[in-house]
């Protein structure tokens, strides 16, 4: 590769711009959390999840081939900002508000979330094109962000439930358990509709119903395939 071929615009494609929007909204989510705009932080992180969901689809539809791995790397770097650091900062700021005397514990859990996120994405980049399985090895990192944000937006948020859930999910991210990609379009459509409806705060008894349904769907996905993997391990 010649020096004149290393200009940044020789690498960036439309899917990479979408991945950049993922990172931008993840960073905005961090800023909102720092300033105690927790609902807005959660919304921005969810928007980042939407952009992360469509960048690969756009690349396939447009026929782009990532021969040099630029797209894969920018996607992973965006993911660690939006789904590693952003939810960890959100949890930390919530912890400082709801359990200020547990700062050390909160920091440890948040660091664990980020560390597991980095390890998971690094492993994905190494093994992604070297194994036959087309799903995820370890729980997908957007899932930890979606679980935390959906839990907060339900109106049923409890800091201890969040601590326990984040420890479990972070551990599952670096596990060797298999989680399939969801290619069922009706399920994807339902998830997208719920994400769109979540900011509208369609509430019953002060519970955000779309956020609650979204949280339950992701939790079911986590539990079903955790059980499946544990059953196969025991056998």
């Amino acid at each position: 590769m010649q020096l004149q071929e290393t200009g940044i615009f020789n690498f960036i494609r439309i899917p990479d711009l979408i991945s950049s929007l993922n990172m931008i909204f993840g960073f905005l989510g961090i800023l909102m959390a720092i300033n105690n705009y927790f609902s807005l932080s959660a919304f921005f992180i969810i928007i980042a999840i939407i952009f992360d969901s469509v960048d690969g689809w756009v690349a396939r539809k447009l026929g782009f081939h990532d021969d040099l791995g630029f797209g894969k790397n920018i996607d992973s770097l965006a993911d660690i900002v939006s789904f590693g650091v952003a939810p960890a900062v959100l949890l930390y700021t919530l912890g400082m508000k709801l359990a200020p005397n547990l700062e050390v514990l909160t920091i440890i859990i948040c660091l664990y979330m980020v560390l597991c996120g980095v390890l998971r994405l690094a492993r994905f980049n190494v093994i992604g094109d070297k194994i036959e399985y087309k799903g995820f090895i370890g729980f997908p990192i957007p899932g930890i962000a979606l679980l935390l944000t959906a839990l907060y937006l339900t109106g049923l948020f409890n800091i201890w439930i969040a601590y326990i859930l984040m420890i479990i999910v972070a551990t599952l991210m670096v596990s060797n358990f298999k989680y399939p990609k969801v290619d069922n379009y009706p399920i994807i459509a339902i998830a997208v509709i719920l994400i769109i409806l979540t900011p509208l705060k369609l509430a019953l008894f002060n519970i955000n119903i779309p956020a609650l349904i979204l949280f339950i769907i992701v939790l079911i996905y986590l539990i079903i395939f955790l059980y499946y993997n544990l059953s196969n391990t025991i056998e």
Side-chain angles (χ1 to χ4, degrees):
M1 179 178 290
Q2 300 298 317
L3 184 61
Q4 60 267 27
E5 297 176 319
T6 60
I8 194 65
F9 292 107
N10 291 325
F11 297 94
I12 294 178
R13 300 292 185 268
I14 293 174
D16 305 322
L17 295 176
I18 297 174
S19 295
S20 298
L21 287 170
N22 163 9
M23 183 276 299
I24 288 169
F25 278 96
F27 182 69
L28 290 174
I30 293 171
L31 295 182
M32 294 304 102
I34 291 172
N35 288 283
N36 293 331
Y37 297 118
F38 301 123
S39 293
L40 197 53
S41 173
F43 291 145
F44 281 149
I45 293 172
I46 287 176
I47 292 173
I49 293 172
I50 294 173
F51 282 118
D52 180 62
S53 301
V54 301
D55 55 2
W57 179 82
V58 170
R60 290 190 295 273
K61 289 298 181 180
L62 296 179
F64 287 123
H65 298 286
D66 189 23
D67 298 327
L68 297 176
F70 181 85
K72 178 173 68 175
N73 280 284
I74 194 171
D75 181 60
S76 292
L77 291 169
D79 284 357
I80 195 55
V81 173
S82 299
F83 314 134
V85 178
V89 172
L90 177 59
L91 182 63
Y92 174 77
T93 52
L94 285 168
M96 289 304 92
K97 181 178 181 179
L98 301 174
N101 56 327
L102 297 175
E103 182 173 11
V104 174
L105 175 63
T106 306
I107 290 173
I108 291 172
I109 294 172
C110 293
L111 281 172
Y112 186 63
M113 291 168 61
V114 176
L115 176 61
C116 289
V118 170
L119 292 173
R120 193 222 175 281
L121 291 168
R123 179 178 64 178
F124 172 78
N125 282 354
V126 170
I127 69 173
D129 55 356
K130 296 180 177 64
I131 59 173
E132 294 181 1
Y133 184 64
K134 298 304 180 183
F136 303 105
I137 303 299
F139 190 72
I141 189 171
I144 193 171
L146 188 54
L147 278 170
L148 180 63
T149 54
L151 176 60
Y152 178 76
L153 293 172
T154 60
L156 299 171
F157 186 81
N158 178 281
I159 193 64
W160 285 105
I161 293 176
Y163 285 157
I164 294 169
L165 187 60
M166 291 300 100
I167 292 171
I168 293 171
V169 179
T171 303
L172 288 175
M173 287 198 302
V174 293
S175 72
N176 213 40
F177 292 164
K178 296 178 180 178
Y179 277 87
K181 291 184 178 180
V182 179
D183 294 325
N184 186 300
Y185 288 106
I187 293 177
I188 294 173
I190 291 171
V192 171
I193 291 170
L194 289 170
I195 288 172
I196 293 172
L197 292 177
T198 295
L200 300 180
K201 298 183 179 180
L202 302 176
L204 182 65
F205 302 113
N206 293 321
I207 299 172
N208 187 322
I209 300 303
L212 179 62
I213 297 173
L214 195 60
F215 176 77
I216 291 172
I217 289 174
V218 181
L219 195 61
I220 290 173
Y221 171 76
L222 183 150
I223 292 172
I224 286 177
F225 291 101
L226 173 60
Y227 175 78
Y228 172 80
N229 281 283
L230 289 174
S231 298
N232 288 343
T233 301
I234 293 172
E235 292 175 2

